[in-house]
Amino acid sequence: DTEVTQTPKHLVMGMTNKKSLKCEQHMGHRAMYWYKQKAKKPPELMFVYSYEKLSINESVPSRFSPECPNSSLLNLHLHALQPEDSALYLCASSQDGGPADTQYFGPGTRLTVL
Amino acid sequence: AQSVSQHNHHVILSEAASLELGCNYSYGGTVNLFWYVQYPGQHLQLLLKYFSGDPLVKGIKGFEAEFIKSKFSFNLRKPSVQWSDTAEYFCAVGPPDSWGKLQFGAGTQVVVTP
């Protein structure tokens, strides 16, 4: 099983809402990632968790809050977002975050902030 | 600044034509190199990768790439494309000592006409 699942597929939220994105993998991977992808652009790394610890935060605004409850799950909590945060949010996982790791991507959550 | 460059943003070609997509990077030292593909409506997936050994790497669906260290390049090739190869192609680099970080190129939109 090389699948990374993400829920929900689509999310529309207002600027005052609080919502969460969820990601799950059952490949035994110990590194998990959040990326943001705008239309016609490459994915931009937001966060990396390695062995359930936050190892990289690419200077992401605090209105995005990641959480890794266990080695299979990754959440992204959203609060007070701005319209420019509308994008496709991708989750990925890999063996342990090593530089030669293959990252396996989920289908993404398409987020629209009104 | 360190970067990953893809030379073409859009490529249109007919079925059975040959495809070559350029990718150059500016990192020194040992790098790990990837090509990912995003088919319409599907998630990002790995086509092939290079981290050591034979600089000619074969991937899925008949794709191959050649690492030329002296030119800091990792170009993707396919001798004869099919309509189903229509997709966005991303070159990515795992810089030296960069646990968890993938730097993506801007992407190349490839359209194969019947």
Side-chain angles (χ1 to χ4, degrees), chain A residues 33 35 37 40-43 45 48 50 55-56 58 88 90 96-108, chain B residues 10 32-34 36 38 42-46 49 51 88 90 94-102 104-107 109:
Chain A
Y33 311 76
Y35 287 87
Q37 187 178 25
K40 306 296 183 188
K41 297 290 186 185
L45 183 65
V48 181
S50 182
S55 58
I56 296 177
E58 292 287 89
L88 183 67
L90 298 172
D96 60 6
D101 268 9
T102 295
Q103 293 188 20
Y104 293 85
F105 286 82
Chain B
H10 298 277
N32 300 284
L33 300 160
F34 306 81
Y36 280 86
Q38 195 167 28
Q42 295 190 29
H43 59 274
L44 265 170
Q45 56 187 286
L46 182 74
K49 70 178 184 182
F51 54 94
E88 185 92 22
F90 293 99
D97 304 319
S98 67
W99 279 72
K101 283 201 179 190
L102 263 188
F104 282 88
Q109 178 67 50

